């Protein structure tokens, strides 16, 4: 089965508070939550008035998992190694030198959102929606338009600009 969720770091077992089983806050938790709230609002609510995407940490909304891409891309350069993030030792295609798997502390710091869009892993085509739904928010919106709005909101928040200099 699937689920509907908008989640962010943390998602690994080393960031679980004991005995509660809930996630600790990531260093950028306030920013992650603020961005997630705007994305959630852009996605809108369902017909019952609940947010289409409930949100929270991956640990609290999905389940904790070690070795997840989301936590790695957020903290691989500054979390302790080998636990929780182990050093890559590639062997396929002839491998590559281990020194290429060590990163400066400022190198890998991406905030990643995991969005699960439906309770069904393969939702019916009739629920995907069409382009007319992108510019307004309705409980009847399809998955594609809802997720386009949500993604565009995230892009707008980073304020991509082009600077031309002479």
């Amino acid at each position: 089965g699937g689920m509907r969720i908008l989640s962010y770091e943390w998602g690994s077992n080393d960031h679980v508070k004991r005995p509660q089983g809930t996630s600790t806050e990531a260093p950028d938790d306030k920013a992650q939550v603020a961005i997630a709230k705007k994305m959630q609002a852009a996605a809108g609510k369902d017909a019952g008035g609940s947010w289409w995407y409930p949100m929270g940490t991956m640990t609290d909304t999905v389940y904790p998992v070690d070795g997840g891409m989301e936590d790695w891309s957020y903290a691989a350069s500054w979390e302790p190694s080998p636990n929780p993030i182990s050093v890559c030792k590639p062997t396929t295609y002839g491998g590559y030198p281990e020194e290429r798997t060590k990163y400066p502390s400022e190198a890998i710091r991406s905030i990643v959102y995991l969005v699960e869009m439906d309770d069904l892993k393969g939702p019916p085509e009739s629920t995907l929606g069409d382009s007319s739904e992108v510019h307004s928010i309705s409980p009847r919106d399809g998955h594609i338009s809802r997720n386009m709005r949500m993604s565009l909101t995230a892009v707008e928040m980073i304020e991509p600009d082009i600077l031309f200099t002479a």
Side-chain angles (χ1 to χ4, degrees):
M3 65 186 316
R4 293 186 339 197
I5 206 73
L6 168 60
S7 60
Y8 43 86
E9 291 78 20
W10 290 114
S12 57
N13 283 298
D14 65 310
H15 294 289
V16 174
K17 291 184 236 175
R18 307 285 183 214
Q20 306 94 314
T22 57
S23 180
T24 60
E25 288 184 353
D28 298 301
D29 185 70
K30 286 183 178 31
Q32 290 173 316
V33 170
I35 294 167
K37 283 182 178 180
K38 289 189 180 263
M39 291 170 65
Q40 183 185 49
K45 296 184 176 186
D46 62 21
S50 298
W51 290 114
W52 183 266
Y53 293 116
M55 64 174 229
T57 65
M58 287 171 224
T59 296
D60 296 348
T61 59
V62 185
Y63 51 81
V65 61
D66 291 330
M69 182 274 303
E70 297 85 3
D71 281 3
W72 182 89
S73 66
Y74 177 64
S77 66
W78 51 272
E79 278 269 285
S81 183
N83 292 315
I85 296 174
S86 59
V87 175
C88 179
K89 296 186 180 180
T91 57
T92 56
Y93 303 106
Y96 56 85
E98 189 172 321
E99 59 269 9
R100 290 184 57 199
T101 67
K102 297 189 169 97
Y103 310 99
S105 64
E106 70 280 357
I108 301 175
R109 293 178 177 248
S110 301
I111 293 177
V112 177
Y113 291 90
L114 170 65
V115 180
E116 297 278 346
M117 69 179 213
D118 197 278
D119 295 329
L120 299 172
K121 282 289 187 190
E125 188 175 335
S126 62
T127 65
L128 300 180
D130 61 57
S131 60
S132 69
E133 302 168 346
V134 173
H135 300 289
S136 62
I137 298 174
S138 165
R140 295 177 305 282
D141 289 343
H143 294 303
I144 293 173
S145 53
R146 180 183 313 106
N147 292 335
M148 284 180 60
R149 279 195 312 270
M150 191 170 57
S151 298
L152 289 169
T153 297
V155 170
E156 288 170 352
M157 291 189 68
I158 60 170
E159 299 181 11
D161 295 318
I162 299 173
L163 175 64
F164 294 96
T165 59

